[in-house]
Amino acid sequence: MTITYHCPNCDAPNEVECIPGVEAQLYGPPERCYPAEPPEIDPGSCNSCDHEFDLDNVFDALPKPDDYDDDERTED
């Protein structure tokens, strides 16, 4: 998901891609096991002042399911 995140240092808007992490699968047959992947953001710093973003603060800025209007939800 890509969001507009305002730099806490200079308040410049930045388009930041948020990539959620994946928990490790550590049980079951070996072919179904895989390591954990940590969450990531891209870019990791402000385009204007090079202030490095805090991963947790950026993910806290993601919209929550309650923030969506009923009209914006799509059904499969």
Side-chain angles (χ1 to χ4, degrees):
M1 170 182 273
T2 301
I3 63 168
T4 300
Y5 181 73
H6 289 267
C7 176
N9 190 50
C10 70
D11 201 37
N14 291 266
E15 293 297 313
V16 179
E17 182 179 5
C18 301
I19 305 154
V22 176
E23 289 187 30
Q25 174 70 35
L26 303 174
Y27 55 89
E31 62 272 8
R32 295 184 68 192
C33 294
Y34 48 85
E37 294 180 20
E40 298 178 36
I41 55 174
D42 184 39
S45 61
C46 179
N47 294 325
S48 296
C49 71
D50 289 330
H51 176 78
E52 191 165 323
F53 297 145
D54 180 86
L55 182 80
D56 291 334
N57 289 342
V58 175
F59 272 89
D60 285 346
L62 288 172
K64 309 294 183 263
D66 294 342
D67 294 342
Y68 296 117
D69 291 335
D70 288 336
D71 295 340
E72 292 180 7
R73 293 184 185 169
T74 58
E75 294 183 19
D76 292 330

